Amino acid sequence: MSLLILDGVSRSFDGFKAVNGMTLAIEPGELRAIIGPNGAGKTTMMDIVTGKTRPDGGTVRFDGHDMTRIDEAGSARLGIGRKFQKPTVFETHTVEDNILLSLRDDRGVFATLFSGADDTARVAELLALIRLEDRRLDLAADLSHGQKQWLEIGMLLAQDPKLLLIDEPAAGMTDEETARTAALLRDLAGDHAVVVVEHDMEFVRALDCRVTCLHQGRVLAEGSLAQVSANEQVVEVYLGR
Amino acid sequence: MEKGNDAVPAPRSGHTATLNRKTLLNTRGTIFLCVLAAVAVGVPYLNATGMLPDYAVSLIGKYLCFALLAIALDLLWGYCGILSLGHGAFFALGGYAMGMHLMREIGERGVYANPDLPDFMVFLNWQELPWFWWGFDTFWFAALMALFVPGLLAFIFGYFAFRSRVTGVYLSIITQAMTYALMLAFFRNEMGFGGNNGLTDFKDVLGYDLQSQDTRIGLFVLSALAVAVGFLICRAVVISKAGKVIISIRDAESRTRFLGYRVEGYKLFVFVLSAMLAGLAGALYTPQVGIINPGEFSPANSIEIVIWVAIGGRGTLVGAAIGAVIVAASKTILTGLYPEAWLFVLGAMFVFVTIFMPRGVLGVWDGMIDGMWRMRGMDPNERRLRA
Ligand SMILES: Nc1ncnc2c1ncn2[C@@H]1O[C@H](COP(=O)(O)OP(=O)(O)OP(=O)(O)O)[C@@H](O)[C@H]1O
Ligand SMILES: [Mg+2]
C-alpha cells in the first residue's frame, strides 16, 4: 500500500485555487522529484500533507492516518520530516543542539524538563553524515547557507521519519554541494520515502527518479524524467520558458 | 572512551563526549547569588549599626520583589519571546492574596472593631464575608493562593491565546487589555477587594507586628531568598532540554512545531511558571509597602517591568534583576527630587538603552569580558558555551 496518498485534494486562498484536485501517491522508500512553475502549488501541497494547511476537499492519508485532522507536531510525530524552502535552523543554538533537539525522543514538556543522558553516539553519527563534525560547537547562525541546508537535512534525519518532504534543497548551494546533496538523498531513499521539490533540472537529473510535474494546483505529467520532459504541455508551461 | 565516538575527530579544547550542557551555576550566576547573599546579610547589619535608616530596609526589600518580578518576565520574554504587557496583573493578584490574609489578621482591631468583616465591608454595609474571602484567615492558604490564582489566570488566558496561535503584537495587546480590565474591576467597591483604596492598615503577619523593625528585616531576608530561589528555578528551566525548546520557539516557532513539539504546551508552561513567580513577588511586596491597591494593575506598571528587563539585558535573568533595581532606585531618587520628570527620564533611559545598548547593561558587561578573553588570546566562544 502507498505510504502517502492524496486524492482529489483542493485548497483555495481568497478564491484562488492553489491546489486543485491533486492526486498523488508515494510508495514506502520511494524517491520522487516534484517540478513545476512558480505558484504551481508545490509548497502548498507539503503544507497540506503536514497539517499546516487544511484542504477544502479531498483526502490525504499517510501511513493509514487521515492527515486533514492533524497538526504540524502531529505529522512530525507520525513520521514526516519537513525541510522548508527557506533553510530554517535554530540559529542561537549550537550545531550539536540543533541535532539533539531533533532526535527522536519524548516531546512532552515534562519529559524534556527532566531529560537525562543524550544519545551522543547518534549525534556524532549524524554530524559525520552531514559533514559538520568540526562545527559541532559553533552556533548554527555562523554556518554558510549550504551548510544550514545540510544541518536542516540532518535534523530531519535525526527524527528518523518515514517520509521526508524536502523543498528546494539545492537553492544557494555550490555545484559540489548540490551533487553531494543529490547523492545523499538517493542514499536515503529506500530507508525513507523522499519527496523533493526542485527547480534545478541538473539536480533532478542527478536524483534519477520518478518525476511529477505540477501546474495550477494539479498533476500535469508523471513518469521518468525523459517522459516528463518530452511531454508537450510540460515543455510549454515549464521547461520551455 | 564510549563506543561510537571513534569516528568523531577529537572535539576542540578538551570537550568530552557528553553533549555540551550548561551548569546551573555559571560564573555570572554565582556572582549574582553572592551579591544577593551579601545584601541579605549586609543590609540588616548596616541597619542594626545605625548606618542605614529603617525605611531603607523595606525600600530595598521592595526592589528585591521587583527583581523577582523582572526575572519572571525575562523567563517569558527573553527566552520564549512572549512579550507580556500585563505581568503587573499577576504581581498584583499575588499581592492581593497576601493582602487579604493581612486584612483578616487585623480582626477586631479595625476602626469598626468587627471581628468577622474587614472595615471596608462594614462600611459598605455587608453582612457577611463573601465566599472568595473564605480561607484567607489561614496564612498558608493565602500563600498558596498567591501562587495559584496568578497561575490559574495565566493558564486560562494562555490556553486560549496559545491554542488560537495568537502571537507577537496581538498577544502583547491582549495581555495589556487583561490587566486593564482587572484594574477597572478592582476599582469597583462591589468587587469586594476594597475598591479604590485597596487593602491597607495591616497590623501583623503570623503574629509578628508589621511595624516592628525585626519583622521588616525578616520580610527583607525572605525577599532576598525568594529572588535566589526564583532565579535558580528559572535557570534550571533555561539550561534544561525544555529550555532549549523554549529558545527554539522564540527563534523559529514553525521549525519547532515541525520537529514534533507542541509549542502551545511549552508556552503555557513558561507563562504559568512566570505568572506564579510574579505572584510570589507580589505576596512579598504587600506586607513590606503596607498597601495593595488597584493602581498595581495599571498598564503603565506592566510596561515598566518590560523596561526593567530591556535595560538590564533580555534573556539573561541576572540582567533583568539588575535592570529592575537600577530603574526602581532611580525612580525613588528622582520622584523625590523632580516628580514630574520621572516618566521622561524613564522614556529616555529606555530609548538610550535600545539604541546604544541593545543587549542591555549586562550586554555591555559581556562585551567587556569578551574583550578580556581576546586580549589573553582566548576564544570568547568557549566562554559563551559555558555561560
Ligand atoms: N497562505 C496563503 N495565503 C494566500 N495565498 C497562498 C498561501 N499559500 C500559498 N498561496 C498561493 O498559492 C499559490 C501556490 O503557492 P505555492 O507556494 O504552493 O507555490 P510553489 O509551487 O511552491 O511555488 P515556488 O516554486 O515559487 O515555491 C501561490 O500563488 C501563492 O501565492
Ligand atoms: Mg514553493
Side-chain angles (χ1 to χ4, degrees), chain A residues 219-241:
Chain A
V219 175
L220 191 64
E222 198 168 288
S224 68
L225 181 59
Q227 286 168 337
V228 171
S229 348
N231 183 307
E232 277 174 30
Q233 282 174 299
V234 173
V235 172
E236 190 183 322
V237 306
Y238 186 53
L239 299 174
R241 285 176 308 171

Side-chain angles (χ1 to χ4, degrees), chain A residues 64-84:
Chain A
H65 300 275
D66 175 4
M67 299 307 284
T68 58
R69 355 175 113 255
I70 276 170
D71 65 358
E72 300 96 315
S75 78
R77 290 173 184 202
L78 287 176
I80 300 182
R82 173 158 187 199
K83 199 191 109 22
F84 299 120

Side-chain angles (χ1 to χ4, degrees), chain A residues 38-39 41-44 85 167-168 197 199:
Chain A
N38 293 111
K42 304 180 296 288
T43 301
T44 309
Q85 191 160 345
D167 209 346
E168 305 201 15
V197 166
H199 283 295

